[in-house]
């Protein structure tokens, strides 16, 4: 057992001392400069302030399309970039969004909801940004009621005649 431990110790010592390359020679000075600039600007990220985090369309009739506008302001010290806005489903479509917003300026995007559903409906939209969090989430809600003018569903008529028997 002592020989085994001694052998493993010797093997570890050889492994740790044989890989002694000069680490300083592998450092790329350009990458160090880029990293230093990035670290110096770390506190200068854009900050997005939304005018509202949720919009309630109230009570709407099923199938009634509605839309709203979400506005946002860049209160940070560098350019705010909105690279994408995604919805949780195809019934909610974000469009016309401001992709770049300078410090102190505002941007906006439109959300169109097709009004389909039954009862309380809630949808989320995720904005991909270059803020510290990386994403911002806003929501829309609506109470969708049945259309009073919609035709009543047709129930299949029951067949009052018995099925005919066929002779074999």
């Amino acid at each position: 057992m002592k020989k085994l431990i001694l052998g493993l110790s010797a093997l570890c010592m050889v492994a740790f001392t044989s890989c002694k390359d000069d680490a300083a020679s592998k450092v790329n000075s350009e990458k160090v400069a880029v990293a230093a600039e990035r670290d110096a600007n770390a506190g200068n990220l854009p900050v997005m302030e939304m005018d509202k985090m949720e919009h309630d369309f109230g009570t709407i009739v099923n199938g009634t399309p509605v839309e709203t506008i979400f506005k946002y302001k860049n209160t940070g010290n560098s350019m705010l970039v909105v690279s994408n806005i995604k919805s949780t489903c195809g019934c909610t479509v974000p469009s016309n969004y401001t992709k770049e917003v300078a410090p102190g300026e505002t941007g906006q995007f439109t959300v169109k909801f097709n009004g389909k559903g039954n009862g309380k409906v809630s949808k989320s939209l995720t904005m991909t940004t270059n803020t510290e969090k990386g994403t911002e989430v806003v929501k829309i809600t609506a109470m969708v009621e049945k259309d009073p003018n919609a035709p009543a569903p047709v129930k299949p008529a029951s067949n009052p005649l018995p099925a005919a028997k066929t002779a074999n």
Side-chain angles (χ1 to χ4, degrees), residues 9-165:
S9 298
L11 183 63
C12 288
M13 187 173 287
V14 168
F16 287 127
T17 58
S18 65
C19 298
K20 235 183 180 177
D21 288 339
D22 184 19
S25 66
K26 295 181 181 179
V27 174
N28 184 336
S29 60
E30 290 178 19
K31 290 183 180 179
V32 170
V34 169
E37 183 179 343
R38 182 194 65 226
D39 292 345
N41 292 329
N44 294 329
L45 290 173
V47 177
M48 178 187 283
E49 286 187 11
M50 301 295 299
D51 68 333
K52 57 187 172 185
M53 297 305 291
E54 185 172 334
H55 180 80
D56 187 357
F57 288 111
T59 302
I60 62 173
V61 175
N62 189 17
T64 305
V66 291
E67 68 179 61
T68 188
I69 295 176
F70 283 92
K71 295 181 180 179
Y72 45 94
K73 183 174 184 177
N74 180 1
T75 60
N77 297 322
S78 62
M79 182 69 73
L80 169 66
V81 178
V82 179
S83 57
N84 196 11
I85 303 176
K86 287 187 179 180
S87 170
T88 53
C89 74
C91 63
T92 308
V93 181
S95 61
N96 301 328
Y97 63 94
T98 309
K99 296 182 180 186
E100 293 185 354
V101 181
E105 300 295 318
T106 59
Q108 66 182 28
F109 66 97
T110 303
V111 177
K112 295 179 181 179
F113 173 55
N114 69 3
K116 300 282 184 183
N118 185 17
K120 185 76 170 175
V121 176
S122 179
K123 306 293 178 185
S124 296
L125 296 111
T126 303
M127 303 173 69
T128 304
T129 65
N130 64 334
T131 59
E132 186 174 1
K133 289 186 348 184
T135 59
E136 302 291 332
V137 178
V138 295
K139 294 182 180 183
I140 61 166
T141 59
M143 177 59 76
V144 181
E145 291 184 340
K146 181 180 174 183
D147 185 354
N149 299 323
V154 178
K155 293 183 181 178
S158 59
N159 191 355
L161 300 174
K165 292 185 180 180

